[in-house]
Amino acid sequence: MRRRPESSSTAPDTSAKKSSGTSKTDEEAKLNHGIQIRTARRSGFTWLTLFAVIIYSSWAVYQYQYENLPVPLTAEQAGKRGFSEVAAMKHVKALTELGPHTIGSDAIELALQYVLAELENIKKTAHWEVDVEVDLFHVNVGATRLDSGMFVDRTIIYSDLDHIVLRMLPKYAPEARENAILVSSHIDTVFSTEGAGDCSSCVSVMLELARGISQWAHGFKNAVIFLFNTGEEEGLSGAHSFITQHPWSTTIRMAIDLEAMGIGGKSAIFQAGPHPLAVETFASVAKYPSGNIIFQDIFSSGVIKSATDFQVYREVAGLSGLDFVYADHGAVYHTKTSGRLAREALSRCKLRELDNDKLKLLKSGSLQHLGENMLAFLLQIATSSHLSKANATVDDIQSSHDTAVYYDILGQYMVIYRQRFANMLHISVILQSLLIWTTSLLMGGSTAAVSLAFSCLSNILMWIFSISFSVLAAFILPLISSSPLPYLSIPWLVLGLFAAPAFLGALTGQHLGYLVLKRYLSHVYAKRKQLSPAIQADLIKLETERWLFKAGSLQWLVLLAVGTYYKIGSSYLALVWLVPPAFACAKTSIVLSTCILFALSLAVVFSGIIPPFTEETARAVNVVHVVDTTGGFGEKPNSYISLFSLTPGKFTKEVEEIKEGFVCGRHKPIDYVTFSVKYGCLTYDGTEEGWDESNIPTLDVVKDINGDKRITQVKIDTKRSIRWFLAINTEEIEDFTFNVGLEELVAADGKRSIDGWHTIQASGGKNAPTKFELTLFWLQNSTRRSDKMVQSEQRPLLRIRTDLPGVVTPKVETVLEKFPPWYSLFGKSTSPHTLSFLSSLPIDF
């Protein structure tokens, strides 16, 4: 056996090692260059298609969610126990044909008579085992002061109001009367509209519900009370007077309010709770459930300057329940559809012959949607033995975290769970997310911390640029359009005019942050020599996008934590939304499409193809004949016509068409006590007719005592006015009392103020009092200054505005006749009628 030479196996071979090392390096290089990070490449057409699919899907969801209404049923189809929209619509038409029915008008008396007659018919045809009681309830006088909402820190005074109350319960179960469900809405309207939406539609639904319930109530365990109140439009007076003065109010355990902030559409839950029984019951039985706690959170925040009777039931009576609202065509809320109709209605000409255009906006199926939902709910809750539990105090419920979170899915299902469960779910997600983030940052070290900071900067820039681009678009619109709100007639224009620039701003801001983060990561990866430049570039891009995605998740985590801390029900949104990680890398085709959408929208506005206002979606304006005596004691009253709008925009073109000597600008702000008009149009031509000095309100000081505490008594005479507003200067006055005759209606109980004023708002029926006594208690450090220059700069002690409802002076009528068809009178609880008187009492009276 031959042995192999030892040298051949053991002797070192330098050339072999060198060759081997060279071979290994070449293999690594080949392997390194062979590594590729592949990313999906899609054409611009693919991205555009995806974009179009998303837009179309969103539109389809919107249509199904908000436009899908049930088929109206006739009386024959609904039967004795069902709900018929066709029957309810007859009530809507009958009420709107009466014209505007404000409290104190002839029309409100006719409306009350109509409702009363319909309820008497229901009483006659009710099931023989159902006890039906109808009560015409009169309120002499009352006062309230709410702690939140539109009327916060304002004293509301009401008098001479009439309400109709209907109660149904089993005839052979008298104990049912001790626990009742209240269903409420208001008959009265503002002076500028017949109330097809707000709220003849609600009253008509209640009448048809009452007819159906009258055939079911013999099996109830609880009574059902229907309240048809008046005075809601003047400070929620109807609800307050019923809750505080009617004997049946003590038996109410749950309140359901029907309201409208538009005309028709789906009636959704606008507010619920605080006890979850009502909304849980509704979710379990409603045929077309609709509602989202988002709207409740927005309303509670004060963003929407409005109020409903539900606030009184919840705040004053401590009741839980539901607040339903119609919200379609919100732009025509509290308006008429044209100047011609406004003039005809206000001058009371041919009211019964008017073709009420706004009634046409009430979508078919709207009343059926609310009626069927309410009927199913009442049949369920009226047979419940747990109704008394829903009467727990608001504070107890909120402190126990027992309120409900709710939202519907496409109007077919409603998801609902308690706030306690929401807190557990949110806190669980927050803790898990914090654990993941902490671990990620500890493992990543300083690089991860800096990357997170830069990615958060990207999010901040995204919001800054998104908001800035939208604000810039808002500044551009008045320059190219006659109105800064050219989208009112076509709401979809909002997508092109504001959503598109907001989206472009988001892309711009996040892309800037993306570049900063990418540059930092390039610096970090530059220290790593193992990878080729191509691979390094791909890794840097992917790492940048990954951090942007993480920052988006962190953003929603912060929002979830804040919402959970403040118990905001709509915080659930933060659980399901993630900021897209590819914003910074958005395809050019999407950016270009968004730019084109924005440009086309601007072109449409600039060209005037789509007018900002139409007869159906008119611009809300006010025309007021003002008789102003605030200039000084003994001076001649200053009489003029004021034209203004709460909708932003100038009147330049319209005034040229009206031609009545109007001068527009900010040269003469007008203080209407409840608000001030800074921009408007005035004319003094032909304003001496249609009013009389005997109608000017008076503020007479009858006693002024300077003792340890200065006390002043003022007699107020509003003359013919049963609707007036008085502001008291709280920089001088500490408190006050208010008397009607010998009755002290408002006690000295420490009142709060807004901007140094406490306002008294009063309204009532035809027989409402017009003479009052106000006792003022001055602040200790209040001083009377006599210097004339100082006097001119002082705010008055008292300011008063009185309105004469239904009075149209010749000059106002002329202006109304010349109204463009896209102009519409607007009314609300604080706005003046067509003839107003302004007066004041100076500090140094």
mmCIF file of all heavy atoms in Angstrom, residues 191 621-627 639-644 662 670 672 675 677 681-683 687 801-803 807 809 811-812 815-816 819 825-826 831-838:
data_model
loop_
_atom_site.group_PDB
_atom_site.id
_atom_site.type_symbol
_atom_site.label_atom_id
_atom_site.label_comp_id
_atom_site.label_asym_id
_atom_site.label_seq_id
_atom_site.Cartn_x
_atom_site.Cartn_y
_atom_site.Cartn_z
ATOM 1 N N PHE A 191 -91.280 82.386 12.083
ATOM 2 C CA PHE A 191 -92.155 83.263 11.289
ATOM 3 C C PHE A 191 -91.913 83.133 9.787
ATOM 4 O O PHE A 191 -92.740 83.566 8.987
ATOM 5 C CB PHE A 191 -91.939 84.714 11.707
ATOM 6 C CG PHE A 191 -90.711 85.356 11.112
ATOM 7 C CD1 PHE A 191 -90.803 86.142 9.978
ATOM 8 C CD2 PHE A 191 -89.462 85.166 11.692
ATOM 9 C CE1 PHE A 191 -89.685 86.744 9.427
ATOM 10 C CE2 PHE A 191 -88.336 85.756 11.144
ATOM 11 C CZ PHE A 191 -88.447 86.545 10.007
ATOM 12 N N VAL A 621 -81.686 85.062 4.379
ATOM 13 C CA VAL A 621 -81.451 86.483 4.654
ATOM 14 C C VAL A 621 -82.523 86.994 5.611
ATOM 15 O O VAL A 621 -83.561 86.365 5.810
ATOM 16 C CB VAL A 621 -81.469 87.328 3.359
ATOM 17 C CG1 VAL A 621 -80.375 86.896 2.405
ATOM 18 C CG2 VAL A 621 -82.829 87.250 2.682
ATOM 19 N N ASN A 622 -82.247 88.142 6.193
ATOM 20 C CA ASN A 622 -83.210 88.836 7.052
ATOM 21 C C ASN A 622 -83.419 90.254 6.544
ATOM 22 O O ASN A 622 -82.451 90.938 6.198
ATOM 23 C CB ASN A 622 -82.728 88.873 8.499
ATOM 24 C CG ASN A 622 -82.769 87.518 9.169
ATOM 25 O OD1 ASN A 622 -81.838 86.729 9.054
ATOM 26 N ND2 ASN A 622 -83.852 87.237 9.864
ATOM 27 N N VAL A 623 -84.677 90.662 6.476
ATOM 28 C CA VAL A 623 -85.038 92.038 6.142
ATOM 29 C C VAL A 623 -85.801 92.594 7.337
ATOM 30 O O VAL A 623 -86.887 92.098 7.667
ATOM 31 C CB VAL A 623 -85.899 92.107 4.869
ATOM 32 C CG1 VAL A 623 -86.237 93.559 4.550
ATOM 33 C CG2 VAL A 623 -85.187 91.468 3.699
ATOM 34 N N VAL A 624 -85.226 93.598 7.975
ATOM 35 C CA VAL A 624 -85.810 94.110 9.216
ATOM 36 C C VAL A 624 -85.967 95.624 9.113
ATOM 37 O O VAL A 624 -85.011 96.336 8.779
ATOM 38 C CB VAL A 624 -84.923 93.775 10.433
ATOM 39 C CG1 VAL A 624 -85.632 94.179 11.730
ATOM 40 C CG2 VAL A 624 -84.559 92.304 10.454
ATOM 41 N N HIS A 625 -87.169 96.082 9.389
ATOM 42 C CA HIS A 625 -87.393 97.523 9.554
ATOM 43 C C HIS A 625 -87.061 97.839 11.008
ATOM 44 O O HIS A 625 -87.764 97.414 11.934
ATOM 45 C CB HIS A 625 -88.840 97.879 9.234
ATOM 46 C CG HIS A 625 -89.070 99.349 9.113
ATOM 47 N ND1 HIS A 625 -89.939 99.894 8.200
ATOM 48 C CD2 HIS A 625 -88.533 100.408 9.783
ATOM 49 C CE1 HIS A 625 -89.929 101.212 8.317
ATOM 50 N NE2 HIS A 625 -89.089 101.538 9.288
ATOM 51 N N VAL A 626 -85.991 98.603 11.208
ATOM 52 C CA VAL A 626 -85.492 98.897 12.549
ATOM 53 C C VAL A 626 -85.860 100.325 12.931
ATOM 54 O O VAL A 626 -85.628 101.271 12.165
ATOM 55 C CB VAL A 626 -83.958 98.719 12.622
ATOM 56 C CG1 VAL A 626 -83.450 99.063 14.020
ATOM 57 C CG2 VAL A 626 -83.574 97.298 12.253
ATOM 58 N N VAL A 627 -86.435 100.459 14.104
ATOM 59 C CA VAL A 627 -86.675 101.774 14.698
ATOM 60 C C VAL A 627 -85.767 101.853 15.918
ATOM 61 O O VAL A 627 -85.997 101.180 16.928
ATOM 62 C CB VAL A 627 -88.149 101.967 15.082
ATOM 63 C CG1 VAL A 627 -88.351 103.350 15.705
ATOM 64 C CG2 VAL A 627 -89.053 101.790 13.868
ATOM 65 N N SER A 639 -84.896 105.509 11.871
ATOM 66 C CA SER A 639 -85.625 104.437 11.191
ATOM 67 C C SER A 639 -84.902 104.046 9.901
ATOM 68 O O SER A 639 -84.546 104.920 9.102
ATOM 69 C CB SER A 639 -87.054 104.890 10.884
ATOM 70 O OG SER A 639 -87.745 103.912 10.120
ATOM 71 N N TYR A 640 -84.699 102.748 9.705
ATOM 72 C CA TYR A 640 -84.013 102.265 8.501
ATOM 73 C C TYR A 640 -84.356 100.802 8.259
ATOM 74 O O TYR A 640 -84.884 100.111 9.148
ATOM 75 C CB TYR A 640 -82.497 102.437 8.618
ATOM 76 C CG TYR A 640 -81.897 101.852 9.879
ATOM 77 C CD1 TYR A 640 -81.514 100.511 9.953
ATOM 78 C CD2 TYR A 640 -81.720 102.654 11.011
ATOM 79 C CE1 TYR A 640 -80.960 99.988 11.113
ATOM 80 C CE2 TYR A 640 -81.168 102.140 12.176
ATOM 81 C CZ TYR A 640 -80.793 100.801 12.219
ATOM 82 O OH TYR A 640 -80.263 100.285 13.372
ATOM 83 N N ILE A 641 -84.063 100.334 7.048
ATOM 84 C CA ILE A 641 -84.235 98.923 6.699
ATOM 85 C C ILE A 641 -82.871 98.263 6.714
ATOM 86 O O ILE A 641 -81.918 98.751 6.099
ATOM 87 C CB ILE A 641 -84.870 98.754 5.299
ATOM 88 C CG1 ILE A 641 -86.197 99.503 5.222
ATOM 89 C CG2 ILE A 641 -85.075 97.272 4.993
ATOM 90 C CD1 ILE A 641 -87.267 98.994 6.135
ATOM 91 N N SER A 642 -82.777 97.151 7.424
ATOM 92 C CA SER A 642 -81.525 96.395 7.520
ATOM 93 C C SER A 642 -81.662 95.079 6.755
ATOM 94 O O SER A 642 -82.608 94.325 6.969
ATOM 95 C CB SER A 642 -81.196 96.116 8.990
ATOM 96 O OG SER A 642 -80.119 95.206 9.095
ATOM 97 N N LEU A 643 -80.718 94.863 5.841
ATOM 98 C CA LEU A 643 -80.662 93.619 5.071
ATOM 99 C C LEU A 643 -79.365 92.921 5.432
ATOM 100 O O LEU A 643 -78.276 93.483 5.245
ATOM 101 C CB LEU A 643 -80.717 93.917 3.570
ATOM 102 C CG LEU A 643 -80.457 92.740 2.611
ATOM 103 C CD1 LEU A 643 -81.555 91.699 2.724
ATOM 104 C CD2 LEU A 643 -80.334 93.240 1.174
ATOM 105 N N PHE A 644 -79.448 91.705 5.973
ATOM 106 C CA PHE A 644 -78.233 90.975 6.350
ATOM 107 C C PHE A 644 -78.480 89.482 6.241
ATOM 108 O O PHE A 644 -79.606 89.016 6.042
ATOM 109 C CB PHE A 644 -77.794 91.343 7.773
ATOM 110 C CG PHE A 644 -78.760 90.928 8.860
ATOM 111 C CD1 PHE A 644 -78.641 89.707 9.495
ATOM 112 C CD2 PHE A 644 -79.789 91.774 9.252
ATOM 113 C CE1 PHE A 644 -79.529 89.323 10.486
ATOM 114 C CE2 PHE A 644 -80.682 91.402 10.241
ATOM 115 C CZ PHE A 644 -80.551 90.174 10.863
ATOM 116 N N PHE A 662 -80.080 100.927 -0.931
ATOM 117 C CA PHE A 662 -79.249 100.217 0.035
ATOM 118 C C PHE A 662 -77.769 100.573 -0.141
ATOM 119 O O PHE A 662 -77.269 100.694 -1.262
ATOM 120 C CB PHE A 662 -79.410 98.705 -0.122
ATOM 121 C CG PHE A 662 -80.645 98.149 0.524
ATOM 122 C CD1 PHE A 662 -81.742 97.778 -0.245
ATOM 123 C CD2 PHE A 662 -80.717 98.005 1.900
ATOM 124 C CE1 PHE A 662 -82.883 97.272 0.345
ATOM 125 C CE2 PHE A 662 -81.853 97.492 2.504
ATOM 126 C CZ PHE A 662 -82.946 97.131 1.723
ATOM 127 N N ILE A 670 -74.932 96.768 13.720
ATOM 128 C CA ILE A 670 -76.230 96.858 14.406
ATOM 129 C C ILE A 670 -76.279 95.828 15.516
ATOM 130 O O ILE A 670 -76.024 94.631 15.287
ATOM 131 C CB ILE A 670 -77.392 96.633 13.419
ATOM 132 C CG1 ILE A 670 -77.330 97.663 12.288
ATOM 133 C CG2 ILE A 670 -78.727 96.741 14.142
ATOM 134 C CD1 ILE A 670 -78.377 97.435 11.220
ATOM 135 N N TYR A 672 -78.464 93.727 17.760
ATOM 136 C CA TYR A 672 -79.818 93.214 17.925
ATOM 137 C C TYR A 672 -80.022 92.549 19.288
ATOM 138 O O TYR A 672 -80.903 91.717 19.445
ATOM 139 C CB TYR A 672 -80.136 92.223 16.814
ATOM 140 C CG TYR A 672 -80.462 92.882 15.488
ATOM 141 C CD1 TYR A 672 -79.552 92.878 14.448
ATOM 142 C CD2 TYR A 672 -81.689 93.496 15.287
ATOM 143 C CE1 TYR A 672 -79.845 93.480 13.232
ATOM 144 C CE2 TYR A 672 -81.999 94.098 14.083
ATOM 145 C CZ TYR A 672 -81.073 94.090 13.050
ATOM 146 O OH TYR A 672 -81.371 94.686 11.857
ATOM 147 N N PHE A 675 -77.413 89.241 19.167
ATOM 148 C CA PHE A 675 -76.242 89.130 18.301
ATOM 149 C C PHE A 675 -76.032 90.474 17.621
ATOM 150 O O PHE A 675 -76.894 91.360 17.668
ATOM 151 C CB PHE A 675 -76.420 88.022 17.252
ATOM 152 C CG PHE A 675 -77.520 88.286 16.264
ATOM 153 C CD1 PHE A 675 -77.242 88.855 15.024
ATOM 154 C CD2 PHE A 675 -78.842 87.978 16.573
ATOM 155 C CE1 PHE A 675 -78.264 89.107 14.123
ATOM 156 C CE2 PHE A 675 -79.856 88.225 15.670
ATOM 157 C CZ PHE A 675 -79.574 88.800 14.433
ATOM 158 N N VAL A 677 -74.765 92.479 13.945
ATOM 159 C CA VAL A 677 -74.536 92.378 12.507
ATOM 160 C C VAL A 677 -73.406 93.353 12.153
ATOM 161 O O VAL A 677 -73.569 94.565 12.293
ATOM 162 C CB VAL A 677 -75.812 92.721 11.710
ATOM 163 C CG1 VAL A 677 -75.505 92.750 10.222
ATOM 164 C CG2 VAL A 677 -76.900 91.709 12.017
ATOM 165 N N CYS A 681 -76.549 95.679 4.762
ATOM 166 C CA CYS A 681 -76.956 96.776 3.888
ATOM 167 C C CYS A 681 -78.061 97.567 4.568
ATOM 168 O O CYS A 681 -78.954 96.989 5.201
ATOM 169 C CB CYS A 681 -77.447 96.235 2.545
ATOM 170 S SG CYS A 681 -76.233 95.191 1.694
ATOM 171 N N LEU A 682 -78.000 98.885 4.421
ATOM 172 C CA LEU A 682 -78.984 99.766 5.044
ATOM 173 C C LEU A 682 -79.573 100.710 4.006
ATOM 174 O O LEU A 682 -78.895 101.114 3.055
ATOM 175 C CB LEU A 682 -78.335 100.606 6.157
ATOM 176 C CG LEU A 682 -77.708 99.879 7.345
ATOM 177 C CD1 LEU A 682 -77.092 100.889 8.299
ATOM 178 C CD2 LEU A 682 -78.737 99.036 8.053
ATOM 179 N N THR A 683 -80.824 101.050 4.225
ATOM 180 C CA THR A 683 -81.454 102.106 3.453
ATOM 181 C C THR A 683 -82.380 102.893 4.363
ATOM 182 O O THR A 683 -83.057 102.328 5.221
ATOM 183 C CB THR A 683 -82.230 101.553 2.241
ATOM 184 O OG1 THR A 683 -82.812 102.649 1.526
ATOM 185 C CG2 THR A 683 -83.346 100.613 2.661
ATOM 186 N N THR A 687 -88.717 105.059 4.966
ATOM 187 C CA THR A 687 -88.847 104.209 6.162
ATOM 188 C C THR A 687 -89.655 104.863 7.276
ATOM 189 O O THR A 687 -89.630 104.396 8.417
ATOM 190 C CB THR A 687 -87.443 103.845 6.707
ATOM 191 O OG1 THR A 687 -86.752 105.063 7.058
ATOM 192 C CG2 THR A 687 -86.645 103.083 5.664
ATOM 193 N N ARG A 801 -84.688 94.865 22.741
ATOM 194 C CA ARG A 801 -85.237 94.774 21.379
ATOM 195 C C ARG A 801 -86.616 94.162 21.471
ATOM 196 O O ARG A 801 -86.805 93.120 22.114
ATOM 197 C CB ARG A 801 -84.365 93.891 20.493
ATOM 198 C CG ARG A 801 -84.842 93.850 19.033
ATOM 199 C CD ARG A 801 -84.112 92.813 18.217
ATOM 200 N NE ARG A 801 -84.831 91.543 18.159
ATOM 201 C CZ ARG A 801 -84.247 90.356 18.158
ATOM 202 N NH1 ARG A 801 -82.946 90.242 18.265
ATOM 203 N NH2 ARG A 801 -84.975 89.256 18.083
ATOM 204 N N THR A 802 -87.597 94.800 20.852
ATOM 205 C CA THR A 802 -88.943 94.238 20.789
ATOM 206 C C THR A 802 -89.301 93.990 19.331
ATOM 207 O O THR A 802 -88.969 94.789 18.451
ATOM 208 C CB THR A 802 -89.977 95.199 21.419
ATOM 209 O OG1 THR A 802 -89.946 96.451 20.717
ATOM 210 C CG2 THR A 802 -89.678 95.418 22.882
ATOM 211 N N ASP A 803 -89.949 92.874 19.063
ATOM 212 C CA ASP A 803 -90.399 92.526 17.718
ATOM 213 C C ASP A 803 -91.922 92.581 17.662
ATOM 214 O O ASP A 803 -92.604 92.242 18.640
ATOM 215 C CB ASP A 803 -89.949 91.116 17.335
ATOM 216 C CG ASP A 803 -88.438 90.980 17.274
ATOM 217 O OD1 ASP A 803 -87.764 92.014 17.101
ATOM 218 O OD2 ASP A 803 -87.928 89.845 17.396
ATOM 219 N N VAL A 807 -96.090 91.947 11.389
ATOM 220 C CA VAL A 807 -96.213 93.304 10.860
ATOM 221 C C VAL A 807 -95.178 93.494 9.754
ATOM 222 O O VAL A 807 -93.977 93.323 9.974
ATOM 223 C CB VAL A 807 -96.017 94.358 11.959
ATOM 224 C CG1 VAL A 807 -96.090 95.758 11.361
ATOM 225 C CG2 VAL A 807 -97.052 94.173 13.052
ATOM 226 N N THR A 809 -94.015 96.394 7.131
ATOM 227 C CA THR A 809 -94.148 97.792 6.730
ATOM 228 C C THR A 809 -94.101 97.900 5.205
ATOM 229 O O THR A 809 -93.618 96.998 4.524
ATOM 230 C CB THR A 809 -93.026 98.640 7.341
ATOM 231 O OG1 THR A 809 -91.767 98.174 6.835
ATOM 232 C CG2 THR A 809 -93.026 98.526 8.861
ATOM 233 N N LYS A 811 -92.210 99.559 3.201
ATOM 234 C CA LYS A 811 -90.858 99.471 2.638
ATOM 235 C C LYS A 811 -90.351 98.036 2.638
ATOM 236 O O LYS A 811 -89.737 97.576 1.662
ATOM 237 C CB LYS A 811 -89.913 100.364 3.447
ATOM 238 C CG LYS A 811 -88.509 100.451 2.866
ATOM 239 C CD LYS A 811 -88.501 101.152 1.527
ATOM 240 C CE LYS A 811 -87.090 101.366 1.019
ATOM 241 N NZ LYS A 811 -87.035 102.088 -0.256
ATOM 242 N N VAL A 812 -90.598 97.298 3.715
ATOM 243 C CA VAL A 812 -90.187 95.888 3.765
ATOM 244 C C VAL A 812 -90.903 95.091 2.687
ATOM 245 O O VAL A 812 -90.312 94.253 2.005
ATOM 246 C CB VAL A 812 -90.462 95.286 5.166
ATOM 247 C CG1 VAL A 812 -90.277 93.769 5.147
ATOM 248 C CG2 VAL A 812 -89.538 95.909 6.195
ATOM 249 N N VAL A 815 -89.274 95.641 -0.611
ATOM 250 C CA VAL A 815 -88.009 94.897 -0.723
ATOM 251 C C VAL A 815 -88.279 93.420 -0.965
ATOM 252 O O VAL A 815 -87.631 92.787 -1.806
ATOM 253 C CB VAL A 815 -87.153 95.101 0.547
ATOM 254 C CG1 VAL A 815 -85.915 94.210 0.513
ATOM 255 C CG2 VAL A 815 -86.747 96.560 0.692
ATOM 256 N N LEU A 816 -89.248 92.864 -0.261
ATOM 257 C CA LEU A 816 -89.578 91.451 -0.439
ATOM 258 C C LEU A 816 -90.077 91.167 -1.854
ATOM 259 O O LEU A 816 -89.794 90.117 -2.425
ATOM 260 C CB LEU A 816 -90.629 91.023 0.585
ATOM 261 C CG LEU A 816 -90.175 90.972 2.047
ATOM 262 C CD1 LEU A 816 -91.350 90.635 2.953
ATOM 263 C CD2 LEU A 816 -89.059 89.965 2.246
ATOM 264 N N PHE A 819 -87.164 90.678 -4.115
ATOM 265 C CA PHE A 819 -86.217 89.627 -3.755
ATOM 266 C C PHE A 819 -85.862 88.778 -4.975
ATOM 267 O O PHE A 819 -86.753 88.380 -5.732
ATOM 268 C CB PHE A 819 -86.842 88.714 -2.699
ATOM 269 C CG PHE A 819 -86.281 88.916 -1.320
ATOM 270 C CD1 PHE A 819 -85.653 90.093 -0.961
ATOM 271 C CD2 PHE A 819 -86.392 87.914 -0.366
ATOM 272 C CE1 PHE A 819 -85.149 90.271 0.308
ATOM 273 C CE2 PHE A 819 -85.893 88.079 0.906
ATOM 274 C CZ PHE A 819 -85.271 89.269 1.239
ATOM 275 N N LEU A 825 -86.296 84.381 3.354
ATOM 276 C CA LEU A 825 -86.296 84.859 4.734
ATOM 277 C C LEU A 825 -85.925 83.732 5.685
ATOM 278 O O LEU A 825 -86.310 82.581 5.492
ATOM 279 C CB LEU A 825 -87.668 85.407 5.099
ATOM 280 C CG LEU A 825 -87.992 86.839 4.655
ATOM 281 C CD1 LEU A 825 -89.398 87.194 5.085
ATOM 282 C CD2 LEU A 825 -86.990 87.823 5.233
ATOM 283 N N PHE A 826 -85.193 84.099 6.723
ATOM 284 C CA PHE A 826 -84.718 83.118 7.699
ATOM 285 C C PHE A 826 -85.177 83.518 9.094
ATOM 286 O O PHE A 826 -85.169 84.700 9.453
ATOM 287 C CB PHE A 826 -83.193 83.042 7.661
ATOM 288 C CG PHE A 826 -82.601 82.133 8.707
ATOM 289 C CD1 PHE A 826 -82.664 80.761 8.561
ATOM 290 C CD2 PHE A 826 -82.000 82.655 9.843
ATOM 291 C CE1 PHE A 826 -82.122 79.917 9.520
ATOM 292 C CE2 PHE A 826 -81.457 81.821 10.812
ATOM 293 C CZ PHE A 826 -81.516 80.449 10.644
ATOM 294 N N SER A 831 -83.468 85.562 16.148
ATOM 295 C CA SER A 831 -83.411 86.521 15.047
ATOM 296 C C SER A 831 -84.621 87.452 15.074
ATOM 297 O O SER A 831 -85.706 87.070 15.519
ATOM 298 C CB SER A 831 -83.338 85.785 13.708
ATOM 299 O OG SER A 831 -84.484 84.983 13.523
ATOM 300 N N PRO A 832 -84.467 88.674 14.583
ATOM 301 C CA PRO A 832 -85.581 89.636 14.604
ATOM 302 C C PRO A 832 -86.619 89.320 13.546
ATOM 303 O O PRO A 832 -86.334 88.695 12.526
ATOM 304 C CB PRO A 832 -84.876 90.967 14.303
ATOM 305 C CG PRO A 832 -83.667 90.585 13.515
ATOM 306 C CD PRO A 832 -83.225 89.255 14.053
ATOM 307 N N HIS A 833 -87.855 89.773 13.796
ATOM 308 C CA HIS A 833 -88.904 89.693 12.799
ATOM 309 C C HIS A 833 -88.768 90.897 11.857
ATOM 310 O O HIS A 833 -87.767 91.607 11.883
ATOM 311 C CB HIS A 833 -90.264 89.662 13.480
ATOM 312 C CG HIS A 833 -90.580 88.329 14.084
ATOM 313 N ND1 HIS A 833 -91.858 87.859 14.259
ATOM 314 C CD2 HIS A 833 -89.773 87.339 14.558
ATOM 315 C CE1 HIS A 833 -91.840 86.650 14.812
ATOM 316 N NE2 HIS A 833 -90.572 86.321 15.001
ATOM 317 N N THR A 834 -89.775 91.143 11.052
ATOM 318 C CA THR A 834 -89.643 92.173 10.019
ATOM 319 C C THR A 834 -89.815 93.601 10.540
ATOM 320 O O THR A 834 -89.575 94.553 9.798
ATOM 321 C CB THR A 834 -90.674 91.920 8.898
ATOM 322 O OG1 THR A 834 -91.958 91.722 9.484
ATOM 323 C CG2 THR A 834 -90.289 90.680 8.099
ATOM 324 N N LEU A 835 -90.235 93.763 11.789
ATOM 325 C CA LEU A 835 -90.287 95.090 12.407
ATOM 326 C C LEU A 835 -89.774 94.975 13.834
ATOM 327 O O LEU A 835 -90.345 94.251 14.660
ATOM 328 C CB LEU A 835 -91.709 95.650 12.401
ATOM 329 C CG LEU A 835 -91.900 97.003 13.096
ATOM 330 C CD1 LEU A 835 -91.018 98.074 12.473
ATOM 331 C CD2 LEU A 835 -93.364 97.427 13.069
ATOM 332 N N SER A 836 -88.690 95.690 14.117
ATOM 333 C CA SER A 836 -88.063 95.621 15.443
ATOM 334 C C SER A 836 -87.778 97.018 15.962
ATOM 335 O O SER A 836 -87.449 97.939 15.197
ATOM 336 C CB SER A 836 -86.751 94.826 15.376
ATOM 337 O OG SER A 836 -86.982 93.470 15.093
ATOM 338 N N PHE A 837 -87.888 97.157 17.269
ATOM 339 C CA PHE A 837 -87.590 98.411 17.944
ATOM 340 C C PHE A 837 -86.401 98.197 18.876
ATOM 341 O O PHE A 837 -86.370 97.210 19.636
ATOM 342 C CB PHE A 837 -88.793 98.893 18.754
ATOM 343 C CG PHE A 837 -89.988 99.250 17.915
ATOM 344 C CD1 PHE A 837 -90.897 98.282 17.525
ATOM 345 C CD2 PHE A 837 -90.188 100.559 17.503
ATOM 346 C CE1 PHE A 837 -91.996 98.612 16.746
ATOM 347 C CE2 PHE A 837 -91.294 100.896 16.731
ATOM 348 C CZ PHE A 837 -92.198 99.918 16.338
ATOM 349 N N LEU A 838 -85.441 99.106 18.836
ATOM 350 C CA LEU A 838 -84.259 99.032 19.686
ATOM 351 C C LEU A 838 -84.244 100.223 20.635
ATOM 352 O O LEU A 838 -84.478 101.365 20.217
ATOM 353 C CB LEU A 838 -82.979 99.038 18.844
ATOM 354 C CG LEU A 838 -82.805 97.917 17.821
ATOM 355 C CD1 LEU A 838 -81.505 98.114 17.042
ATOM 356 C CD2 LEU A 838 -82.812 96.548 18.490
#
